[in-house]
Amino acid sequence: MTHANALTTHTLGFPRIGERRVLKWALESHWRGDSPKETLLDIGRTVRRQVLDDHAAAHITRPPVGDFSFYDHVADTALLFGQIPSRFQSTANTLENLFSLGRGRQIDGRNVAPLAMKKWLNSNYHYLVPELEADQPVVLDAARYLDLVREALTITPDAKPVLLGPLSFLWFSRGLDEPGRLAKAEALSLAYQQLLTELKALGVSWVQIDEPILTLDLPLAWLKAFEPTYHRLKVPGIKLLLTTYFGDLNGNIALAAGLPVDGLHIDATTTSDLIAVADRLPDYKVLSVGIIDGRSIWRADLGAILTRLAPVHARLQDRLWLAPSCSLLHVPLDATLETRLPPFLRKNLSYARQKLNELNLLARGLTEGWDAIALELNQAASARTELDNRLGRRDPQLRRKTDIIATQSPDRAEPFTQRAAAQQARFNLPLLPTTTIGSFPQTHEIRAARKAFKNNEITADTYETHMKAEIAQVIKAQEAIGLDALVHGEAERNDMVEYFGEQLDGFAFTQEGWVQSYGSRCVKPPIIWGDIRRPRPMTVTWSSYAQSLTPLPVKGMLTGPVTILFWSFVRDDLSREDVCYQIAEALRAEISDLAAAGIGMIQVDEPAFREGLPLRQKDWPAYLTWAVRAFKHAVSGAPSDVQIHTHMCYSEFNDIIASIAALDADVITIETTRSNMQLLDAFAEFAYPNAIGPGIYDIHAPQIPTEPEIEARVRLALAKVPASRLWINPDCGLKTRNWAEVTPSLTAMVAVARRLRSDLD
């Protein structure tokens, strides 16, 4: 039941992959051709209905609609307004075109590349980057979107449509320079006005418009564009809630508060003075306070939050709205599904459904008084005390060690030029050496064996025999293809972070902690709840076995400290810097053991390195200092003839290239295919001193690259990187592909490298 004086509660978005990832399986079945589009559409409707039911059960006033996507909401926005590159030969807002944007397609026998992917601000969600063309008209094609709204309104008349704001859409796009993108703002805002008019006709009263770029350091021209843009799109009779998240508005508070909208949402987890924001708002506007951390899986401290909200509530009364800080897309769906976690952890978790209940409790606490929710407050406090007192939560000896790490500037024993000479003497690599990023296809047989072992259905010896057979097959396949530096394929690894967390103290693992990364791809981050130690070697046995099968070098594969940190759900009682140093100390010991076992190449992946970068440049130096220090602490003990590789993906490197160079990895591999090698410009302009392996084919799309496509990209790379320091490799790991795609793709890659190697010689 609702409460007479209840405050308005809402969410900015909700997990869209469904319970037990039902939409993932439906998407992949449809893409394989195993199920028709109608089945996929039915499952989408079921997922959306469940979202509305969840909000109703928690008495949330305004659930979201329009945040759902079958692939990515940014790509949906591009389709909504007809901003599709001409190479796709269609701008129609259809499901098929959405999948083409994410997965590519074939037209007249040629591969049409998908849109590039990029991390959504400083999250691990990957969005499809719209490509704008100057002569592409802005044309509203709203049928698919309006159908979603009609569907929701028949169930919940107070449903709140969600739109990515026009200026954030343009900012996150590419294809035109900044003035060129801003030039589209007028036409785009008029199309938004047309859409809002259609929403008004459906009976919509409030619309949420996301403008997260207001938390960035925006150029003056972009800041000046907000007021005319929002004046153009305003429609009398429909109210707009402007939403920002992931950061503080800082100097943009006055701008945001003064825009012709009816409400402002702020991320209160990054905003310290709520009263200061409230005082900036005109009396007719609502303030939506994102008070529940939408990216944390930990139960909220409701007592502390109520204390913080009380003066704001006294000031605003019913003009105060309560919400999570951001879309709940970034957390798993339901903590009650975690039946295998120990009670001391399970009682402290809050996933998306639990956060809805927390919002309702906060609204009741403010309007009915603390006594109305005293039981829940006491339960939360008791659960947290039990966690804090748990053995393993704090290790004084380890904390003294990490205090020392924080004062150091660790370096390899010799500079890169001397290390490179020692490594070449050891490996005798050819010009343009070829390799892969690490993983090979995770077949049904591999997953079945791993599951059987985890469920105690097979013995450890049987499991080891199966994994060794897979490793031997991968080594043999790479030798046949002709790669120069091999990998063992990572058959034994379920995930590049969870695998290591399972072998480190201080981690816990969920059954259903899945979060969407992109499209149908989901990740299940481990939980860091205690201090982190390595009780035993983690990868040495598998790497040593693989190396014993071949005279070619086999890379040892590790996930770096920054990535393990950011791709985990991190404890909230210790700084991320300190947690990262704990991980780095564990990896340092692992690298020492790998080197002692004769592993001469060790790859320490850091795809999350830029993801951790704060949104405001004033906060960058502190983060970059400790992130670089953690990586270097992990690798600096390696002998000079041990070649340290690292891998990064979907990042813009220009503004942090000096820090990437400071990592001093012997070889860095980066994803560059979807940008057509443009991401390599930062390394060329900086004169990056170490070796580089720009990805020359996209592993996230099912298309098999041709030799001419690969050669064109390698030649672009050769124009920017000396051949003596250029490696040839795919964009990323091959885990999600199948052998029918992998073998011809790598074969073409090796053929191109050998042909160009001969030309260069």
Side-chain angles (χ1 to χ4, degrees):
M1 57 180 282
T2 57
H3 303 277
N5 298 315
L7 293 174
T8 296
T9 52
H10 71 110
T11 63
L12 278 62
F14 208 70
R16 56 201 186 204
I17 212 69
E19 190 164 310
R20 303 192 190 279
R21 296 178 291 162
V22 62
L23 187 62
K24 168 190 172 66
W25 309 122
L27 282 166
E28 293 175 358
S29 174
H30 176 64
W31 293 338
R32 289 192 305 267
D34 294 342
S35 60
K37 183 172 74 170
E38 290 70 26
T39 300
L40 177 62
L41 293 174
D42 284 344
I43 290 174
R45 279 188 287 270
T46 300
V47 170
R48 295 192 297 271
R49 177 59 191 256
Q50 185 61 60
V51 169
L52 295 176
D53 289 347
D54 289 341
H55 282 71
H59 308 295
I60 302 302
T61 316
R62 294 191 177 276
V65 56
D67 61 308
F68 175 87
S69 177
F70 281 104
Y71 201 98
D72 167 56
H73 64 287
V74 182
D76 274 328
T77 305
L79 285 163
L80 184 60
F81 297 104
Q83 298 306 289
I84 306 305
S86 55
R87 68 176 183 273
F88 288 96
Q89 300 183 4
S90 171
T91 60
N93 188 357
T94 64
L95 206 57
E96 292 75 18
N97 276 349
L98 174 64
F99 295 152
S100 293
L101 295 182
R103 294 164 49 80
R105 60 184 296 189
Q106 280 204 332
I107 298 179
D108 299 329
R110 61 182 178 85
N111 290 335
V112 176
L115 297 182
M117 285 198 295
K118 186 179 173 184
K119 298 291 183 70
W120 183 246
L121 295 160
N122 59 354
S123 76
N124 189 32
Y125 177 77
H126 301 66
Y127 73 97
L128 293 171
V129 183
E131 294 179 25
L132 304 182
E133 297 175 352
D135 57 353
Q136 180 79 274
V138 176
V139 179
L140 179 66
D141 187 352
R144 260 197 330 125
Y145 183 85
L146 293 174
D147 283 346
L148 294 180
V149 176
R150 290 190 191 94
E151 173 188 271
L153 292 178
T154 61
I155 302 167
T156 309
D158 289 329
K160 168 173 52 68
V162 176
L163 292 167
L164 176 60
L167 291 172
S168 289
F169 173 78
L170 293 174
W171 176 267
F172 290 125
S173 298
R174 53 178 286 190
L176 300 175
D177 59 15
E178 287 190 14
R181 282 179 277 153
L182 271 178
K184 283 184 172 277
E186 181 174 355
L188 190 59
S189 60
L190 294 176
Y192 271 78
Q193 182 191 57
Q194 182 183 348
L195 177 58
L196 291 172
T197 300
E198 296 195 35
L199 290 173
K200 178 184 175 183
L202 294 181
V204 169
S205 56
W206 278 92
V207 173
Q208 171 187 321
I209 297 191
D210 294 349
E211 291 286 9
I213 63 171
L214 283 168
T215 63
L216 306 178
D217 296 312
L218 289 178
L220 183 60
W222 288 83
L223 293 172
K224 287 183 175 180
F226 269 90
E227 188 168 353
T229 296
Y230 275 81
H231 274 293
R232 289 190 196 100
L233 63 76
K234 183 72 174 175
V235 172
I238 196 164
K239 295 183 177 181
L240 301 182
L241 178 70
L242 186 78
T243 55
T244 64
Y245 43 82
F246 291 176
D248 196 312
L249 282 169
N250 288 335
N252 296 333
I253 291 178
L255 169 63
L259 289 175
V261 296
D262 304 278
L264 175 66
H265 172 87
I266 60 170
D267 184 340
T269 67
T270 60
T271 302
S272 57
D273 193 344
L274 298 179
I275 291 294
V277 178
D279 286 345
R280 295 290 191 116
L281 285 179
D283 290 343
Y284 69 90
K285 292 187 179 182
V286 303
L287 177 63
S288 169
V289 176
I291 200 67
I292 299 288
D293 191 340
R295 294 201 282 179
S296 170
I297 49 90
W298 299 106
R299 197 168 179 172
D301 185 343
L302 298 179
I305 291 175
L306 286 170
T307 299
R308 190 178 177 206
L309 287 176
V312 189
H313 182 231
R315 180 78 57 95
L316 298 178
Q317 294 296 314
D318 62 358
R319 290 197 296 124
L320 173 65
W321 288 19
L322 301 182
S325 59
C326 60
S327 170
L328 295 176
L329 172 73
H330 305 283
V331 293
L333 180 61
D334 190 350
T336 65
L337 301 176
E338 303 293 357
T339 58
R340 297 178 187 172
L341 281 175
F344 81 90
L345 271 179
R346 190 169 61 247
K347 289 187 293 187
N348 280 282
L349 296 183
S350 175
Y351 291 177
R353 284 174 175 163
Q354 287 68 50
K355 292 184 187 300
L356 298 181
N357 291 324
E358 288 179 330
L359 279 179
N360 183 47
L361 288 170
L362 289 172
R364 289 180 56 200
L366 287 173
T367 57
E368 301 174 29
W370 287 37
D371 288 347
I373 59 170
L375 175 63
E376 291 86 351
L377 292 175
N378 290 335
Q379 288 174 339
S382 175
R384 186 54 182 243
T385 298
E386 184 180 358
L387 172 63
D388 287 340
N389 292 335
R390 193 73 182 184
L391 182 66
R393 182 75 159 167
R394 295 176 180 83
D395 184 331
Q397 181 180 2
L398 178 60
R399 297 211 178 181
R400 285 192 293 270
K401 184 176 290 187
T402 54
D403 287 343
I404 295 172
I405 295 173
T407 67
Q408 297 174 335
S409 298
D411 290 302
R412 299 284 294 275
E414 294 180 319
F416 170 72
T417 53
Q418 294 181 31
R419 299 197 310 267
Q423 293 158 15
Q424 182 61 17
R426 179 174 181 176
F427 302 121
N428 191 29
L429 293 168
L431 201 64
L432 305 182
T434 56
T435 190
T436 67
I437 302 305
S439 60
F440 269 81
Q442 291 264 322
T443 63
H444 171 75
E445 292 76 17
I446 291 173
R447 293 192 297 269
R450 197 164 54 227
K451 182 178 180 181
F453 177 57
K454 189 173 184 178
N455 293 338
N456 296 315
E457 296 168 4
I458 60 174
T459 66
D461 288 344
T462 300
Y463 174 72
E464 182 177 337
T465 298
H466 192 100
M467 291 298 105
K468 284 185 174 181
E470 293 289 347
I471 291 171
Q473 185 268 330
V474 166
I475 294 294
K476 184 178 180 180
Q478 291 173 93
E479 289 179 325
I481 290 168
L483 293 165
D484 301 303
L486 313 187
V487 296
H488 79 288
E490 303 180 15
E492 80 286 1
R493 303 185 187 185
N494 49 354
D495 176 82
M496 65 182 292
V497 174
E498 185 170 308
Y499 173 78
F500 290 97
E502 287 175 339
Q503 301 180 79
L504 294 167
D505 294 339
F507 282 81
F509 310 94
T510 68
Q511 295 165 260
E512 297 295 334
W514 296 101
V515 178
Q516 185 181 21
S517 180
Y518 64 86
S520 69
R521 171 73 171 151
C522 300
V523 294
K524 186 160 64 71
I527 297 171
I528 299 176
W529 69 270
D531 283 352
I532 297 166
R533 280 188 173 276
R534 185 193 78 139
R536 65 190 67 84
M538 301 179 286
T539 65
V540 176
T541 298
W542 302 117
S543 293
S544 297
Y545 175 72
Q547 186 61 81
S548 74
L549 301 175
T550 179
L552 296 171
V554 179
K555 292 189 288 186
M557 303 301 303
L558 303 174
T559 303
V562 176
T563 298
I564 290 179
L565 175 78
F566 281 101
W567 289 4
S568 300
F569 290 122
V570 186
R571 61 192 300 175
D572 59 0
D573 66 324
L574 188 64
S575 75
R576 295 200 165 207
E577 177 181 357
D578 287 337
V579 176
C580 199
Y581 292 156
Q582 292 181 3
I583 302 169
E585 176 65 16
L587 292 176
R588 184 182 180 89
E590 184 71 12
I591 290 171
S592 176
D593 285 345
L594 284 168
I599 306 303
M601 293 183 181
I602 302 173
Q603 184 170 307
V604 184
D605 289 340
E606 285 292 21
F609 186 80
R610 198 187 193 286
E611 179 185 317
L613 197 68
L615 298 183
R616 298 282 185 168
Q617 290 190 20
K618 65 180 177 59
D619 301 319
W620 287 8
Y623 162 73
L624 290 170
T625 297
W626 64 254
V628 169
R629 181 185 291 127
F631 181 89
K632 294 179 73 171
H633 179 78
V635 307
S636 60
S640 292
D641 67 347
V642 170
Q643 192 174 72
I644 297 295
H645 294 234
T646 191
H647 174 68
M648 296 183 180
C649 50
Y650 296 127
S651 295
E652 290 182 350
F653 299 109
N654 303 62
D655 42 11
I656 59 168
I657 188 65
S659 295
I660 292 173
L663 297 175
D664 196 26
D666 297 304
V667 182
I668 182 172
T669 52
I670 57 175
E671 298 192 54
T672 53
T673 303
R674 291 199 179 192
S675 72
N676 199 26
M677 314 308 282
Q678 290 179 9
L679 289 180
L680 197 53
D681 291 345
F683 291 84
E685 293 166 4
F686 182 78
Y688 184 78
N690 299 11
I692 308 174
I696 50 73
Y697 83 85
D698 178 21
I699 65 87
H700 298 91
Q703 287 77 28
I704 297 171
T706 65
E707 288 189 26
E709 290 171 347
I710 292 174
E711 181 169 341
R713 294 179 189 129
V714 176
R715 289 192 180 278
L716 284 174
L718 282 167
K720 301 173 182 180
V721 180
S724 61
R725 291 191 284 110
L726 185 65
W727 283 63
I728 309 298
N729 46 262
D731 259 344
C732 198
L734 303 168
K735 173 182 178 179
T736 59
R737 302 267 58 93
N738 60 59
W739 280 102
E741 297 163 338
V742 166
T743 300
S745 299
L746 292 181
T747 299
M749 184 186 84
V750 169
V752 169
R754 287 176 171 174
R755 185 163 58 248
L756 292 177
R757 187 182 299 160
S758 177
D759 293 346
L760 291 167
D761 284 341

